[in-house]
Amino acid sequence: MEDYPAGWEADVVLRDGGTAHLRPITPDDAAALARMHEAQSPESVYLRFFAPLPRLPQRDLDRFVNVDHHDRVALIMLIGDDIIGVGRFDRISDTEAEVAFNIADAHQGRGIGSILLEHLAAAARESGIQRFTAEVLPQNRSMLQVFQAAGYEVSRGFDDGVVAVKFDIDPTARSIEVQASREHRAEALSVRTVLHPTSVAVIGASRKRNSTGHLLIRNITAAKFTGDLWVVHPEADQIAGVQAYPSLDALPGKADLAVIAVPAESVTEVVKDCAVHGVKAVLVISSGFAETGPEGAELQRRMVATSRAYGMRVVGPNSFGLVNEAAEISLNASLAPFLPASGTLGLFSQSGALGTALLAAAKTRGLGISTFVSAGNRADLSGNDLLQYWEEDPATQTVGLYLESIGNPRKFSRIARRVSRVKPVVVIKSDLTGRELPPGHIVRTSSLAPNTLDQVLEQAGVIRADTIHQLFDLTQVFSTQKLPAGRRVGVIGNSAAMSTLIMQRARSEGLRVDTEPVSLHPEVDAETFRTELDAMYARDDVDSLIVTFTPSAGAEESEIATLLSEAAAQSEKTTVACFLGIQGVRDELTSYLKDQDGNRVSRTVPSYIGPEDAVWALARATDYSRWRAADHGRYVELDDIDDKAVRSIIDSALDGAPLGTPVRIERDATRELLRAYGIEVLPYIAASSVDEGLAAAEKIGYPVALKAVTNVLRHRMELGGVRLNIDSPEELAEDFAAVQRIITQVIGDDEPLVDVQAMAPHGVPCVIRAGEDPLLGPLLSFSLAGDTTELLGDVSHRVAPLTDREAEDMIRTVKASPRLFGYRGLPPMNIDPLIDVLERLSVLVERHPQILELVIHPMIATETEGHVLSARVDLLSDPTRIDGTRRLLS
């Protein structure tokens, strides 16, 4: 038996939100497989084996558990030590395998077959298999549904009482959509299990009032948790007024959530005890794990593995706690002695100390929260999970996250891109690239520029904030106002100087101030202020308002605040205010209206300490509103590509290559790989002598270009490695010899190769890169060619897959892009070929994670066409992608 690939082992979330462990079968699993079979009903056994088989014969059992992990593969799903599902395939030809499944009766309906199919298909593709077949009895409707609902193009035939199923296992747009939808539902439900317990057990509480456990119990009690609260303590009768029980066995019922505050070395055993007693999720407050070093990291690994293996999610360890303000839950299982009111803001923090600050800031500003989760070391439950939950949660209208690191940024971007289209997502800026990891956070690092992730998050519609202050500046707008309808801003206040500052700042933030600010007298009376305010709201050329007021001998600030809140409540226009130097007008800035159902609702005008804060928050809300309303384009569907040819080229290049070592594809193979995706490289012929060069030029046709076949000189005209517009044999012979001399001087090659290439028309040279980034997954980059672009970092980045709009946006957002659009009277270039290549490479690197880096340098954009002059491809034999074509917890 060969060792199986480590990437085939995974923790997964099932349809009902529970977790399980998936891995290849081994001979040691024989007893567990026999137990699973013997527990099956006669009907289930018949549907799987087409015959009554109460026990597996030893010969069959040995064959089932002994596989080669290549031609014969079997994956099992476990909860604890029990196998709950088996999926296997047996190769029947070079490209085809027969697939079969067996799901334990007690666990049917949990989506196990669908997950096993995803993982089997991914493993089969790695072994060169392209198609699955299966024979299924007609009455086995659940298994037929697994195949049909997976999103593949399934063909079915009926012969001799059996349904023959056949389908290609290359991912399709539909199969990827199905997988994402199932992942979303399962992970959202798993978080709901954590946040909506009907019973909570606190384990590890001390009778000392200043202990962590004691504080947790007091906070849960003070919040008036609507479910059952129990304390587990081996000796105490009660703690903080709550009855204590000596063990989980003694509880009067099953706990949905266990809050654990025992020493780190005891947590794993407590978690296992919780699993045995049917606990659905655990919140680990205890510290002393990965944040302390390697020994703590191993404790953390064991604890999480135990929890997931028994179907439970983990919040923490080193967590500050969680909160659910819903009236039907009212849970404060956190260390915060105070809470904001109930509201519509969902908060997530990876830092305990900052968790406190987030809750305090929300309370100070009068912002209500729906739910709050502190992930601590983020060993299991992550920001990605919470996004999945908040997308569906009607109580949450705005999402705020403090992220010290992102373990799976590609998945974050993928989910956030979807969530942002219905709810604003605000992230506090921290070290998201993983270059300076906070204690306990294990993430991959990227070799790209620090602004790459900024661009990727912008692509997903996520708003970046630098501080907690900015996070709440912005969420105040989202929580209290309608989204701005446009960039046109009206400014009104009782200070001309303040209005001028606001106008200048607004324009610098991308807002439009087309109307003159209304600067009233410093001692303006309330009636005049209201008249001017109503006039501003009535203007058709104003989308939002910035209102300022400074203390004066005129109207009282509370009077102005009241009339502003009334006017704003009656208007559809977004409004922010700055009551400079004035505190305590929040109540006056709140008006109460009745909604369409007759319910009394409040609407508050957000007020800021300084005008810069008000302008910044309004500008970011406007940017988001425009992003959300924009047409984000469509994902390209290519029908002229040959993935089989690409796989063949990649497999041939990687044959025998050591793991982890990049492999450069030969240039001719690179040309064929691009051709398989509809991208043609301008013809070239490599020559090692003047005579060969002359023959090549004659074949290609003059004019031609000469290029040194070495990375040091290939794109360096100033160093003599490139000669252009050669239109005669005499000129070619002279230039060819000169290029060879330079190559010899630089790299010492006595017979250097020189490319003779067809001369491209005049245009703008561009650089396109695509490949697998360890942090972000399949990534594309675009820039104009040249040292200046590289030195200034004028490069746009996007995560694949790209829509047509995103591909165009990549080109238009580089600062040097005016060179493509008629800069200083030059003719505009046709960017459609650039867009086409970006779209094709987006699909290529999405489907083939072995492509570490593909560089087209340059591609010439002309007035009518695009020409790829040179390309190179580096491969990696062991792909690093952590968000691929099979669901897993990461």
Side-chain angles (χ1 to χ4, degrees):
M1 183 195 70
E2 300 177 2
D3 291 335
Y4 58 78
W8 290 7
E9 190 164 359
D11 294 314
V12 295
V13 182
L14 305 181
R15 180 181 295 163
D16 57 6
T19 62
H21 187 66
L22 183 149
R23 63 167 171 79
I25 203 165
T26 71
D28 293 339
D29 296 313
L33 184 61
R35 286 199 311 272
M36 173 193 164
H37 180 88
E38 290 165 13
Q40 296 287 79
S41 67
E43 180 185 8
S44 294
V45 172
Y46 185 80
L47 291 176
R48 168 64 181 89
F49 295 100
F50 299 4
L53 197 67
R55 286 182 175 78
L56 286 174
Q58 188 63 44
R59 181 183 61 184
D60 290 342
L61 187 60
D62 290 342
R63 182 169 60 86
F64 288 156
V65 298
N66 287 280
V67 295
D68 61 14
H69 307 299
H70 186 269
D71 294 334
R72 296 184 62 245
V73 169
L75 302 178
I76 57 174
M77 195 176 292
L78 303 104
I79 292 182
D81 298 325
D82 296 327
I83 296 176
I84 63 171
V86 184
R88 62 177 65 246
F89 70 75
D90 291 87
R91 188 190 295 267
I92 54 179
S93 73
D94 287 344
T95 60
E96 193 166 285
E98 184 175 10
V99 65
F101 298 88
N102 192 11
I103 311 301
D105 285 353
H107 295 275
Q108 291 185 8
R110 303 186 71 190
I112 294 170
S114 299
I115 297 174
L116 284 170
L117 177 58
E118 288 174 17
H119 285 253
L120 278 176
R125 289 192 294 269
E126 291 179 23
S127 299
I129 293 169
Q130 301 168 14
R131 186 177 300 105
F132 274 168
T133 67
E135 291 187 344
V136 184
L137 290 173
Q139 60 266 44
N140 194 352
R141 289 186 294 272
S142 60
M143 188 51 59
L144 290 171
Q145 179 64 20
V146 167
F147 295 132
Q148 195 65 46
Y152 299 109
E153 294 294 331
V154 178
S155 65
R156 297 167 62 168
F158 188 77
D159 184 34
D160 197 24
V162 174
V163 179
V165 176
K166 183 178 292 189
F167 55 95
D168 289 342
I169 57 174
D170 271 342
T172 66
R174 176 59 182 157
S175 71
I176 293 170
E177 179 186 346
V178 167
Q179 177 182 321
S181 176
R182 288 170 170 168
E183 173 194 67
H184 164 63
R185 290 196 304 269
E187 293 183 0
L189 191 54
S190 75
V191 176
R192 183 175 178 81
T193 299
V194 174
L195 290 175
H196 291 254
T198 59
S199 52
V200 174
V202 179
I203 304 171
S206 165
R207 282 173 283 199
K208 296 179 180 178
R209 183 174 175 80
N210 62 351
S211 68
T212 297
H214 202 282
L215 176 59
L216 284 163
I217 296 169
R218 297 201 310 272
N219 288 345
I220 295 172
T221 303
K224 296 182 172 56
F225 174 53
T226 59
D228 295 316
L229 174 61
W230 303 311
V231 176
V232 177
H233 192 286
E235 299 172 357
D237 294 328
Q238 62 87 26
I239 295 177
V242 177
Q243 183 176 352
Y245 298 86
S247 66
L248 288 170
D249 272 329
L251 295 181
K254 288 185 178 180
D256 288 339
L257 175 69
V259 182
I260 300 174
V262 302
E265 59 271 16
S266 302
V267 169
T268 299
E269 283 305 312
V270 172
V271 166
K272 191 168 184 178
D273 191 36
C274 288
V276 170
H277 288 87
V279 175
K280 296 178 180 177
V282 294
L283 165 62
V284 182
I285 306 294
S286 313
S287 58
F289 290 90
E291 78 278 6
T292 64
E295 291 184 5
E298 176 58 22
L299 276 178
Q300 181 170 302
R301 187 200 64 77
R302 290 205 307 267
M303 181 268 293
V304 173
T306 300
S307 177
R308 287 178 171 179
Y310 283 93
M312 299 184 299
R313 298 304 304 266
V314 178
V315 181
N318 198 24
S319 170
F320 183 72
L322 59 86
V323 174
N324 187 346
E325 293 268 30
E328 68 273 17
I329 302 295
S330 192
L331 175 64
N332 177 17
S334 81
L335 301 177
F338 55 84
L339 285 180
S342 176
T344 60
L345 174 61
L347 284 174
F348 175 85
S349 174
Q350 286 180 358
S351 163
L354 275 175
T356 307
L358 287 171
L359 293 173
K363 185 176 180 65
T364 299
R365 297 199 186 206
L367 281 172
I369 67 169
S370 58
T371 42
F372 163 81
V373 174
S374 163
N377 292 0
R378 203 203 61 223
D380 179 25
L381 205 75
S382 69
N384 290 343
D385 295 303
L386 267 297
L387 280 175
Q388 301 274 37
Y389 168 79
W390 280 324
E391 181 181 2
E392 299 293 334
D393 180 29
T396 302
Q397 298 303 314
T398 305
V399 173
L401 306 102
Y402 174 79
L403 302 176
E404 292 178 329
S405 62
I406 304 179
N408 190 341
R410 170 173 156 76
K411 184 174 180 179
F412 177 86
S413 174
R414 173 169 59 82
I415 299 171
R417 192 188 302 198
R418 192 180 65 237
V419 177
S420 293
R421 288 177 179 165
V422 293
K423 298 177 184 182
V425 178
V426 187
V427 173
I428 299 179
K429 184 178 181 179
S430 185
D431 179 55
L432 301 183
T433 60
R435 286 179 172 81
E436 298 175 2
L437 303 182
H441 291 248
I442 302 171
V443 299
R444 300 177 179 204
T445 59
S446 171
S447 58
L448 296 168
N451 71 337
T452 303
L453 189 57
D454 284 336
Q455 294 186 37
V456 170
L457 295 184
E458 183 179 349
Q459 176 189 6
V462 174
I463 309 153
R464 296 290 296 272
D466 290 329
T467 62
I468 292 177
H469 183 76
Q470 284 189 341
L471 169 73
F472 286 106
D473 281 348
L474 189 50
T475 54
Q476 275 187 270
V477 179
F478 290 137
S479 297
T480 63
Q481 299 290 302
K482 293 189 175 182
L483 292 177
R487 292 194 176 279
R488 302 170 302 175
V489 177
V491 180
I492 183 170
N494 67 337
S495 167
M498 182 68 69
S499 296
T500 300
L501 287 173
I502 288 175
M503 179 178 66
Q504 293 173 345
R505 184 59 182 262
R507 286 172 175 164
S508 71
E509 292 285 0
L511 299 174
R512 289 172 48 189
V513 186
D514 298 336
T515 60
E516 282 296 316
V518 176
S519 299
L520 303 171
H521 192 278
E523 297 180 6
V524 63
D525 61 83
E527 183 178 350
T528 302
F529 202 105
R530 177 61 189 257
T531 300
E532 294 293 341
L533 193 60
D534 288 342
M536 184 68 80
Y537 275 122
R539 295 186 67 116
D540 293 332
D541 56 354
V542 169
D543 300 310
S544 54
L545 268 69
I546 303 174
V547 182
T548 68
F549 189 78
T550 57
S552 71
E556 292 288 333
E557 54 267 18
S558 60
E559 191 176 8
I560 296 296
T562 298
L563 67 87
L564 171 59
S565 69
E566 292 172 351
Q570 295 168 12
S571 169
E572 294 294 312
K573 296 181 180 180
T574 312
T575 305
V576 297
C578 174
F579 279 67
L580 195 65
I582 302 172
Q583 302 293 328
V585 294
R586 186 169 61 221
D587 290 343
E588 289 81 1
L589 285 170
T590 300
S591 289
Y592 295 91
L593 306 170
K594 288 188 176 181
D595 63 16
Q596 58 186 6
D597 297 323
N599 300 315
R600 187 170 181 260
V601 295
S602 65
R603 187 172 179 189
T604 300
V605 175
S607 181
Y608 300 88
I609 295 174
E612 300 86 357
D613 299 330
V615 173
W616 181 88
L618 180 61
R620 298 295 77 76
T622 303
D623 290 342
Y624 168 72
S625 179
R626 288 170 61 85
W627 180 91
R628 182 161 149 178
D631 177 3
H632 295 285
R634 57 171 184 81
Y635 293 109
V636 64
E637 294 182 10
L638 303 175
D639 55 10
D640 60 346
I641 59 176
D642 187 351
D643 277 309
K644 293 179 182 178
V646 172
R647 274 196 298 266
S648 177
I649 293 168
I650 290 174
D651 290 344
S652 177
L654 291 176
D655 187 25
L659 292 177
T661 302
V663 174
R664 176 71 51 87
I665 296 184
E666 295 291 337
R667 295 197 304 149
D668 288 346
T670 295
R671 184 161 49 181
E672 291 305 311
L673 185 149
L674 290 174
R675 181 171 291 148
Y677 259 71
I679 301 171
E680 292 290 339
V681 178
L682 205 65
Y684 65 85
I685 299 174
S688 60
S689 68
V690 171
D691 288 342
E692 289 182 5
L694 289 168
E698 193 67 32
K699 184 174 182 179
I700 292 172
Y702 290 97
V704 297
L706 298 180
K707 300 177 181 179
V709 184
T710 168
N711 288 336
V712 178
L713 296 170
R714 185 165 184 82
H715 305 294
R716 303 301 297 271
M717 186 177 294
E718 75 278 12
L719 298 180
V722 179
R723 303 294 173 96
L724 304 177
N725 291 309
I726 300 169
D727 55 14
S728 71
E730 294 77 17
E731 186 180 359
L732 185 139
E734 181 180 344
D735 285 348
F736 194 99
V739 172
Q740 281 198 314
R741 284 195 299 272
I742 291 169
I743 298 173
T744 300
Q745 292 170 6
V746 173
I747 66 173
D749 192 339
D750 292 334
E751 292 187 356
L753 285 174
V754 178
D755 276 342
V756 181
Q757 189 170 44
M759 189 65 205
H762 175 74
V764 178
C766 304
V767 180
I768 298 175
R769 288 182 166 84
E772 194 75 13
D773 180 73
L775 185 71
L776 300 169
L779 192 75
L780 290 100
S781 304
F782 175 84
S783 65
L784 271 60
D787 288 348
T788 303
T789 294
E790 294 176 9
L791 289 170
L792 296 178
D794 186 18
V795 183
S796 61
H797 306 279
R798 300 292 186 274
V799 167
L802 290 181
T803 67
D804 52 355
R805 292 294 180 92
E806 289 169 343
E808 181 177 351
D809 185 59
M810 287 187 71
I811 297 167
R812 293 186 178 275
T813 53
V814 295
K815 293 182 176 64
S817 65
R819 289 177 56 196
L820 293 165
F821 301 107
Y823 179 64
R824 290 189 173 181
L826 293 173
M829 302 299 154
N830 181 9
I831 66 169
D832 288 343
L834 295 174
I835 294 173
D836 181 65
V837 169
L838 284 167
E839 290 175 340
R840 291 175 181 275
L841 293 184
S842 166
V843 177
L844 176 65
V845 296
E846 172 78 9
R847 295 187 180 182
H848 300 280
Q850 301 95 333
I851 297 176
L852 178 63
E853 185 177 43
L854 187 159
V855 180
I856 293 177
H857 186 188
M859 179 175 178
I860 305 295
T862 73
E863 294 177 57
T864 57
E865 302 173 302
H867 300 277
V868 175
L869 273 58
S870 177
R872 65 173 173 82
V873 177
D874 291 332
L875 304 174
L876 202 60
S877 55
D878 50 340
T880 60
R881 188 175 301 176
I882 54 176
D883 183 41
T885 56
R886 46 189 159 196
R887 281 176 282 167
L888 69 160
L889 275 168
S890 61

